[in-house]
Amino acid sequence: MPVYVLCIFQTFLPFPSIKDAVNIFGDALTKWEKQEIFNYSNIWCLGLSANKSQHQENKTINFGFDFKQKNRDGYYKSIIHDHLAYRYEILEELGSGACGSTVKALDHSNGCLVAVKILRNYAWGEKFFLREVGIMNILESRTINNKYFVQKIDCFTFRNHRCLVLELLGYF
């Protein structure tokens, strides 16, 4: 079996294969991740240094990935240095609001810092997400105004949360 050095992956190359990532770093992955990882075509980040949330059988708290406390229901448990969708490494929490929270993250596919808006895991979240993405798509289609609005980079669903990746603005 070939030996892989972790710094190779910090040059913004995906893992050679998902099976390689699981074989090499499987002991550091949670039982949930060992199954979930096969839903992704490219693996850029595993969040190996994070104190990861453990999968639970309790569906009411999204299998242990959401908060279940006063005023925090449905929010994703953002853990520093853990991954989002095996691509983005959470670096810090930037804030939260009624619809979700925003984290500063490193996009391991290209080395750029981004903001990831993680919407709450609620029934109305899908409707809110689609409306927000629709507005951003309209703004992007009007190329004359692009430099005046935050740019949408990516959007995806991760552990029942809709996520919107945006350029990171400000002094972070």
Side-chain angles (χ1 to χ4, degrees):
M1 171 192 285
V3 176
Y4 294 98
V5 179
L6 186 57
C7 65
I8 290 172
F9 304 123
Q10 292 175 344
T11 60
F12 316 119
L13 296 173
F15 284 91
S17 76
I18 295 169
K19 285 183 181 180
D20 287 339
V22 173
N23 286 337
I24 297 165
F25 299 107
D27 292 341
L29 299 174
T30 66
K31 183 178 177 182
W32 178 271
E33 288 175 319
K34 287 179 187 177
Q35 295 173 346
E36 172 189 64
I37 196 170
F38 288 97
N39 295 328
Y40 295 86
S41 55
N42 287 314
I43 305 302
W44 301 91
C45 173
L46 295 171
L48 298 176
S49 63
N51 184 12
K52 298 174 181 277
S53 288
Q54 296 296 316
H55 172 261
Q56 299 172 8
E57 296 302 320
N58 187 346
K59 292 180 183 180
T60 62
I61 55 171
N62 193 25
F63 303 100
F65 298 114
D66 290 1
F67 283 103
K68 182 64 176 169
Q69 58 191 19
K70 187 178 180 182
N71 299 327
R72 296 291 289 172
D73 288 359
Y75 285 86
Y76 183 73
K77 287 182 186 175
S78 298
I79 298 171
I80 304 301
H81 299 298
D82 202 1
H83 66 84
L84 292 170
Y86 300 91
R87 176 175 171 178
Y88 304 97
E89 178 183 353
I90 299 171
L91 300 178
E92 67 180 278
E93 234 182 280
L94 296 176
S96 63
C99 296
S101 60
T102 303
V103 298
K104 175 181 171 182
L106 174 63
D107 182 347
H108 278 270
S109 73
N110 59 22
C112 292
L113 293 175
V114 296
V116 182
K117 186 173 186 177
I118 307 168
L119 296 180
R120 288 173 68 183
N121 183 12
Y122 264 78
W124 50 262
E126 180 73 13
K127 183 177 177 181
F128 178 84
F129 176 80
L130 292 173
R131 185 178 67 188
E132 187 163 3
V133 169
I135 291 168
M136 295 197 82
N137 287 340
I138 289 169
L139 293 173
E140 284 181 359
S141 69
R142 301 176 188 218
T143 57
I144 195 165
N145 292 329
N146 268 351
K147 64 183 178 181
Y148 299 109
F149 300 99
V150 66
Q151 300 298 301
K152 176 179 58 102
I153 298 169
D154 191 14
C155 52
F156 58 91
T157 301
F158 182 66
R159 296 179 180 164
N160 296 322
H161 289 268
R162 299 293 281 199
C163 300
L164 186 59
V165 182
L166 308 166
E167 66 178 326
L168 182 65
L169 299 175
Y171 300 102
F172 295 104

